[in-house]
Amino acid sequence: MRRVGNRPGLKPWGWWIAIAGLAALLAATTVLAAGPNLNGQWRQEDEGPNLILIAQDHDAVLVIFDGATLQGEPITYYGSGTISGRKVEYAYLFTRAPKGWKNGDMSLTLSPDGNLLEGHWEAGWDRGKVRFRRLPEVSAAKPAPAPAPPPARR
């Protein structure tokens, strides 16, 4: 038996198998780590004016909602939870809410294009449908338009 490196008994083709296995493991890890990205600004479609901020760190999500009902009553809540694949679940706590509204849980599914979260909220015995749409990104890196040239002198 031929000896390769410091490993007695490892045949030359064994190194290729080990390298191929390591490459496959790294590729799988990269694919799993590159899951959906929820970071950004969202809007709940079936409520009054509102803004939802979602921050994601790997499989953890933090959600902040600030807005109003269709009748103009203020709503503010924050929540935290997890994302697994395209499924997002978080518990939310109100800091401002219409009378009778309770803290609860949100269970959402991300659309294949990553721009829509749909599902339901649940608070005690109450349950309802909900739909969030991702807002377009506003880039601060976009350069300002060039100023107009001064008028020509005569």
Side-chain angles (χ1 to χ4, degrees):
M1 187 179 315
R2 187 171 152 217
R3 191 171 185 186
V4 176
N6 292 330
R7 301 244 180 204
L10 189 59
K11 298 187 184 222
W13 50 264
W15 287 105
W16 290 110
I17 291 174
I19 291 170
L22 182 58
L25 180 63
L26 288 173
T29 304
T30 302
V31 168
L32 291 175
N37 179 0
L38 298 179
N39 290 310
Q41 299 178 10
W42 298 72
R43 181 182 186 289
Q44 184 172 339
E45 292 189 334
D46 56 350
E47 276 299 343
N50 63 74
L51 178 65
I52 303 164
L53 301 176
I54 299 181
Q56 176 186 349
D57 184 17
H58 301 286
D59 65 344
V61 293
L62 176 65
V63 181
I64 299 171
F65 178 103
D66 188 42
T69 65
L70 292 172
Q71 294 76 31
E73 297 177 82
I75 307 169
T76 303
Y77 73 72
Y78 65 94
S80 64
T82 60
I83 178 170
S84 177
R86 293 187 313 141
K87 185 83 170 174
V88 179
E89 295 181 328
Y90 66 90
Y92 59 88
L93 300 168
F94 285 106
T95 56
R96 289 187 312 168
K99 188 173 182 176
W101 287 31
K102 301 175 193 134
N103 299 330
D105 298 300
M106 198 75 72
S107 181
L108 307 166
T109 302
L110 185 65
S111 64
D113 70 359
N115 290 318
L116 195 64
L117 283 165
E118 287 184 287
H120 65 274
W121 57 267
E122 198 168 314
W125 296 102
D126 296 328
R127 182 179 172 138
K129 292 183 179 181
V130 67
R131 183 178 171 132
F132 299 167
R133 183 167 302 280
R134 186 186 301 265
L135 297 175
E137 285 188 34
V138 178
S139 174
K142 198 175 194 179
R153 289 189 167 170
R154 293 186 180 199

